[in-house]
Amino acid sequence: MKLRNACRIVSVVTLGVPLLVGTARAVDSYSQTINQAPAAAADTTPVNTSDFQIKAGGNKLMIKSAKAADLGGMVTTLTLKNVNCPAEGNDKDKPFKCGVKTPLTPVLAVLDLSVQQFLTPTISPQGIDWLHVAGVPIQFVQGKASFVANGLNHVTANDVFGALASSILGQPLGVGSIAIRTLTPAQQLDCAVAPPGPTCLAGAEFGFAGIMVAP
């Protein structure tokens, strides 16, 4: 995606999972469905689908270009609901109501984002991989996710990439793997920088944004 004024959004193949392929121009958007993580990840990433479950249907991550300079050229919107976490605490012990509303006790998680910066506008495959470039904390209350940064379901490129936002403005980026991982308050401190510190993305994966290829 091209940050600031226009946006070129492409996709890459990560961990053997083909993602959506296409190009979006200014004010267009790129969307991926959020799925429950497989029982075993394609790499050595730990997986936790016993404590966390995501009910299928209507969950997605959308990345959209934004002309306003103070938005960093990009807005990311997360639609994620019906998340179950009985061990961490469901509201009133109801299934798929992760996080207690009263007294407010949200359950933390983090979006693990990878992208690729391409060398030319023609989308040369010999690009620069930005693996695990950002860890974006989210929180669940009554099974619904919002971003910790503002309590809303959308954030700007400045929120996502932090200090790195200025270095990728105007660059075509490929949207890579996006995993959802468990997160503790102590680990959250490592998510305040980009690239994130070592513990920010150390949690187990329980969801991902992409396409689940049918057998």
Side-chain angles (χ1 to χ4, degrees), residues 62-81:
M62 184 173 69
I63 300 173
K64 188 175 183 178
S65 61
K67 292 185 177 181
D70 60 343
L71 299 180
M74 182 185 79
V75 173
T76 299
T77 301
L78 174 67
T79 302
L80 177 55
K81 58 185 178 179

Side-chain angles (χ1 to χ4, degrees), residues 96-183:
F96 296 96
K97 294 292 183 181
C98 181
V100 176
K101 183 177 181 179
T102 305
L104 185 61
T105 312
V107 173
L108 294 173
V110 63
L111 296 182
D112 176 358
L113 176 64
S114 296
V115 299
Q116 185 179 50
Q117 181 175 330
F118 296 96
L119 296 181
T120 69
T122 57
I123 315 302
S124 167
Q126 288 76 40
I128 302 171
D129 288 322
W130 295 63
L131 300 177
H132 314 295
V133 68
V136 189
I138 62 176
Q139 58 190 358
F140 296 103
V141 175
Q142 293 186 319
K144 186 177 180 179
S146 63
F147 289 100
V148 172
N150 55 15
L152 303 175
N153 74 330
H154 57 274
V155 289
T156 70
N158 295 328
D159 295 319
V160 172
F161 294 107
L164 288 179
S166 60
S167 66
I168 58 178
L169 282 172
Q171 302 299 318
L173 298 181
V175 180
S177 62
I178 302 171
I180 305 174
R181 303 183 182 279
T182 58
L183 183 70

